[in-house]
Amino acid sequence: MSDRETLGAALARCGISRRALLKYSSYLATLMALPPAASSAMAEALAKARRQSVIWLSFQECTGCTESLTRSFSPTLEDLIFNLISLDYHHTLMAVSGAAAEAARLEAMKENAGKYLVVVDGSVPLGDDGAYSTIAGITNRQMLTETVEHALAVISVGTCAAFGGLPHADPNPTGAVPVSAIVTGKPVINISGCPPLPEAMAGTVSYILSFGKLPELDHLHRPKAFFGDSIHDRCYRRPFYERGMFAKSFDDDGARNGWCLYELGCKGPVTYNSCATLKWNGGTSFPIQSGHGCLGCSEPGFWDKGGFYRPLAAGTGSPGVAVGAAAIGGVAVGAASAALHRRRLHDQGGEKPK
Amino acid sequence: MSADGVAGCGLRLRTGLAKAVLSEVARLLERLSDAGETGAVDLHSLPMTDGDRAELEERLGRGEIEATLSVAGVSRVWETRYAGVWWVRHFGSDERIAAEEIAITHVPQILVAHPADIRAAASALRDDLATQPPQGASEESRHVGP
Ligand code: SF4
């Protein structure tokens, strides 16, 4: 596929009809909670667009983010994203290596100056002059600074790139920082999650390609389309929460019958992500549906918040969020922590209290 | 999961969401009738239980038209028993639902052929005609006459 021809022409050459593009746009509109009518406009815009150059940098990470994006797609609808982008550099996925790989990165930067997207997974270690992670003889910090210079925008995928993630967890031996601590003067979009939802990654890139602008972001620079609601807001166990019906242990009758997992440590009320609606593995399930509370992996510092199996009412370890333990037992507890979290977000200029 | 690949949460509980969706559909259908404005309700983003989904399907029922599309996977479209109210279900990988909406319109956009595809088809057909061997005509002529 030549990078000069429009996507519409390129797809037609591959036997992909406009109907397929419309179906893909309907899928994206659904993912991003855009009005259903937006799908026709998106399909038309995508047909006129050129392939988007993407340079993907992997720093202090576990490759889970790449796994998430590539393993979840089989060659059907969701796969179309790979026809829309030109993945010009990606350590794990590219065929070439060594000097040839670095030459491809520099070439893409030169050819698409001002237009390419930089996707980063992994945090950036600054301790000991960045010695904990180097690629092609330079530190992650050097590579990031050099690569983003002429980028259109930077997308931090995964909680490590977005907020520091596991490498940043106490005592942070490598001095890990998120991408936003280094990149200034460029838009940075955070798509957090450990790993992030593949739909959030593909949807954000496709949105930029169709509308030529960044999607609306929340106070943590996450696309509101995917991070606008809490897990709790969209959880199918919510009716039980409202009635104060809580599972008391994993796999008890309550847990099996859909009762709320709040008392088993669910962090759904303070976690913003789309797992409850998009689900995982092609829409099969998500942790709460499998009987396990939400860990809160898309939130900053989730690893250091006082234990995955402690109820929110026992405090998350972050200042100002602890709810008195005396309040434990019943609907009021959950309502209190959800309401407190909303107020905290509001105070930070985030979501308005409901 | 239901036979049609609907991966729900396994709960038969009816939360009342189906009724809320039906009211919205009724409002949009009146708008289509009065002002010719089309609309849609995105079902995929709603936290519906399997019970809610079954209730909604039951209440809307099936009308005169059903279509199966083979386009980047399978899609199924049917008109409900209310004219102008269509159920559009797109499947992605592994035949799981990727997008689903109730479209309130005369004909869902996905069924309409796009001008670019029509243009390409016209030229493909012309090319086919120009390159086809005259074998078909002679075969047919063998069957004509006594
Ligand atoms: S506390 Fe967790 S399990 Fe309970 S309703 Fe909220 S998100 Fe669902």
Side-chain angles (χ1 to χ4, degrees):
Chain A
M1 194 188 284
S2 150
D3 289 349
R4 308 228 176 276
E5 68 183 334
T6 63
L7 283 170
L11 293 175
R13 213 162 29 73
C14 302
I16 299 173
S17 71
R18 290 296 192 91
R19 243 188 216 117
L21 207 51
L22 182 60
K23 179 169 168 176
Y24 183 64
S25 301
S26 306
Y27 165 64
L28 290 176
T30 287
L31 292 184
M32 304 203 68
L34 298 171
S39 49
S40 306
M42 269 181 103
E44 290 302 317
L46 282 174
K48 290 190 192 115
R50 303 261 181 318
R51 287 177 93 196
Q52 175 66 54
S53 166
V54 173
I55 296 176
W56 185 305
L57 304 176
S58 298
F59 296 145
Q60 227 172 203
E61 46 83 41
C62 68
T63 314
C65 302
T66 296
E67 289 280 337
S68 172
L69 184 63
T70 54
R71 296 285 164 133
S72 313
F73 297 107
S74 58
T76 56
L77 178 66
E78 299 91 329
D79 183 51
L80 271 173
I81 179 67
F82 294 112
N83 290 294
L84 308 184
I85 63 169
S86 168
L87 197 51
D88 293 327
Y89 179 86
H90 189 304
H91 304 160
T92 322
L93 300 179
M94 66 200 307
V96 293
S97 60
E102 294 314 307
R105 178 172 63 89
L106 298 174
E107 174 85 15
M109 284 164 59
K110 199 167 125 208
E111 267 193 15
N112 305 297
K115 291 185 280 190
Y116 62 89
L117 288 175
V118 175
V119 175
V120 185
D121 64 334
S123 60
V124 184
L126 298 186
D128 294 326
D129 293 329
Y132 294 104
S133 176
T134 61
I135 298 160
I138 57 173
T139 65
N140 291 170
R141 179 192 205 149
Q142 284 171 312
M143 184 174 271
L144 178 61
T145 313
E146 176 185 298
T147 311
V148 300
E149 194 185 347
H150 300 293
L152 172 70
V154 182
I155 304 180
S156 300
V157 299
T159 300
C160 296
F163 306 131
L166 262 64
H168 183 265
D170 193 41
N172 190 1
T174 64
V177 297
V179 167
S180 57
I182 291 168
V183 175
T184 49
K186 289 275 169 209
V188 176
I189 303 172
N190 288 328
I191 301 179
S192 55
C194 192
L197 283 159
E199 291 88 347
M201 294 187 258
T204 302
V205 171
S206 304
Y207 183 96
I208 295 172
L209 197 49
S210 353
F211 296 113
K213 60 176 186 178
L214 306 187
E216 208 186 335
L217 305 177
D218 73 0
H219 66 294
L220 293 173
H221 295 270
R222 300 177 296 192
K224 277 191 178 171
F226 299 104
F227 297 92
D229 291 324
S230 71
I231 299 295
H232 185 65
D233 286 334
R234 297 286 177 147
C235 179
Y236 75 97
R237 292 183 190 250
R238 181 71 180 263
F240 293 98
Y241 168 92
E242 300 295 349
R243 290 176 213 159
M245 295 161 80
F246 299 107
K248 302 294 175 194
S249 69
F250 288 109
D251 216 25
D252 68 8
D253 276 352
R256 282 162 185 258
N257 288 316
W259 292 19
C260 172
L261 304 173
Y262 181 86
E263 291 185 6
L264 299 175
C266 181
K267 306 292 184 287
V270 295
T271 304
Y272 289 75
N273 206 343
S274 297
C275 308
T277 44
L278 298 179
K279 303 192 180 176
W280 282 89
N281 300 321
T284 308
S285 181
F286 72 115
I288 291 171
Q289 191 174 329
S290 310
H292 194 289
C294 166
L295 298 182
C297 74
S298 57
E299 295 300 316
F302 82 100
W303 198 258
D304 289 326
K305 282 190 174 166
F308 294 148
Y309 302 104
R310 288 176 67 194
L312 277 171
T316 58
S318 52
V321 196
V323 178
I328 292 178
V331 189
V333 184
S337 39
L340 254 181
H341 188 65
R342 288 219 171 83
R343 202 172 68 214
R344 188 163 59 101
L345 284 177
H346 182 58
D347 292 346
Q348 291 168 346
E351 186 199 359
K352 289 186 183 64
K354 288 183 185 166
Chain B
M1 196 187 294
S2 82
D4 209 5
V6 182
C9 59
L11 269 190
R12 301 309 302 166
L13 180 83
R14 295 189 172 191
T15 65
L17 205 55
K19 199 158 172 251
V21 172
L22 281 170
S23 311
E24 175 68 1
V25 169
R27 192 182 64 78
L28 292 172
L29 191 55
E30 269 161 30
R31 214 170 65 179
L32 177 65
S33 167
D34 298 345
E37 267 179 57
T38 60
V41 178
D42 180 5
L43 296 181
H44 207 57
S45 57
L46 296 174
M48 293 175 106
T49 62
D50 287 354
D52 292 331
R53 190 180 289 276
E55 184 183 353
L56 187 63
E57 260 199 80
E58 236 168 66
R59 299 274 298 266
L60 286 174
R62 299 260 174 160
E64 295 168 333
I65 301 173
E66 288 195 29
T68 302
L69 290 78
S70 290
V71 46
V74 172
S75 296
R76 277 196 245 290
V77 178
W78 64 90
E79 195 177 33
T80 68
R81 64 190 160 93
Y82 302 98
V85 179
W86 301 78
W87 196 300
V88 182
R89 182 174 281 170
H90 294 306
F91 294 90
S93 52
D94 304 328
E95 304 229 318
R96 293 203 177 91
I97 294 177
E100 188 170 38
E101 66 176 32
I102 309 276
I104 293 88
T105 181
H106 299 101
V107 184
Q109 202 60 36
I110 195 79
L111 294 180
V112 180
H114 191 280
D117 287 341
I118 296 174
R119 235 183 348 263
S123 100
L125 183 55
R126 209 174 301 116
D127 288 353
D128 280 359
L129 282 172
T131 55
Q132 220 156 49
Q135 176 193 5
S138 59
E139 256 179 27
E140 191 176 302
S141 60
R142 278 205 293 271
H143 297 287
V144 176

